[in-house]
Amino acid sequence: MSETTAPAARTASAASAGSLSGRRRASRVALRTVQVLLALFYGIASALPKLIAHPSAVESFDRIGWGSGAMYTIGALELAGAVALLIPVLQSVAAVALSALMVGAFIVQLTVFDGENAATPLILMVPLLLIAWARRGHNGELLRLVRRR
C-alpha cells in the first residue's frame, strides 16, 4: 500500500518544483525584459536628445538655468546607466544611480516646471528600484572585482 502512494507523492512534489522553477524563469525573463525596455528608454528617448542638443532639451535646460554643460552631463549619465542596466554585474548599481537621477528630475519638475510631468520620474523609479532589489546579488561580484584591483 505504501508503494502506491509514494510515487504519487513524489510526482506531486516534482510537479510543484517544476512549476516553481517555471515561475522563477518567467519572473527572470520579465525582469530582463523590463531592464531592456528601460535601457532603450534611457538611451534613446532620454539621453539621445540631450547628447545631440535637440531643441526641446536645450530649451528645458535653458529654462532650468543649467545650460548645455549640465545637459550633456546628464545625457551622458543616462546613457551610461542605460548601458550598465544591460551588464549583469552593474545592473543593481545602475538602477540605483538612475533612481537617484530620477529623484533630481522629480525635484526639478516640481520646482522649475510647476509639477508638470512630475509623476514620470516617480513612475520610472518603481521598476528601477525593483531591478536594484532583485539584482542585488550582483553587488558582491562587483565588490570582488573592485577589490581585486
Side-chain angles (χ1 to χ4, degrees):
M1 183 175 210
S2 64
E3 290 177 31
T4 59
T5 58
R10 276 189 232 130
T11 305
S13 67
S16 173
S19 68
L20 184 59
S21 67
R23 282 189 218 147
R24 285 186 191 152
R25 177 170 163 65
S27 66
R28 280 195 314 264
V29 168
L31 188 62
R32 188 65 175 168
T33 302
V34 169
Q35 284 177 242
V36 169
L37 290 174
L38 281 171
L40 288 170
F41 171 79
Y42 279 104
I44 296 170
S46 193
L48 187 63
K50 293 173 183 81
L51 295 174
I52 65 170
H54 189 272
S56 64
V58 172
E59 179 186 331
S60 293
F61 277 84
D62 284 344
R63 188 168 167 197
I64 296 168
W66 290 356
S68 63
M71 179 181 66
Y72 291 124
T73 301
I74 291 173
L77 289 171
E78 288 175 339
L79 183 60
V83 171
L85 275 176
L86 303 175
I87 300 172
V89 74
L90 298 175
Q91 293 168 349
S92 181
V93 173
V96 170
L98 286 170
S99 293
L101 274 176
M102 291 302 98
V103 169
F106 174 72
I107 292 169
V108 167
Q109 291 294 329
L110 284 180
T111 58
V112 177
F113 297 103
D114 300 322
E116 182 182 330
N117 299 322
T120 303
L122 296 178
I123 292 167
L124 289 168
M125 282 177 62
V126 172
L128 286 170
L129 294 173
L130 176 66
I131 291 165
W133 181 79
R135 304 294 194 203
R136 70 191 182 281
H138 292 291
N139 292 342
E141 276 181 69
L142 182 59
L143 252 140
R144 282 189 293 280
L145 286 171
V146 169
R147 286 182 180 163
R148 194 180 315 165
R149 295 177 186 208

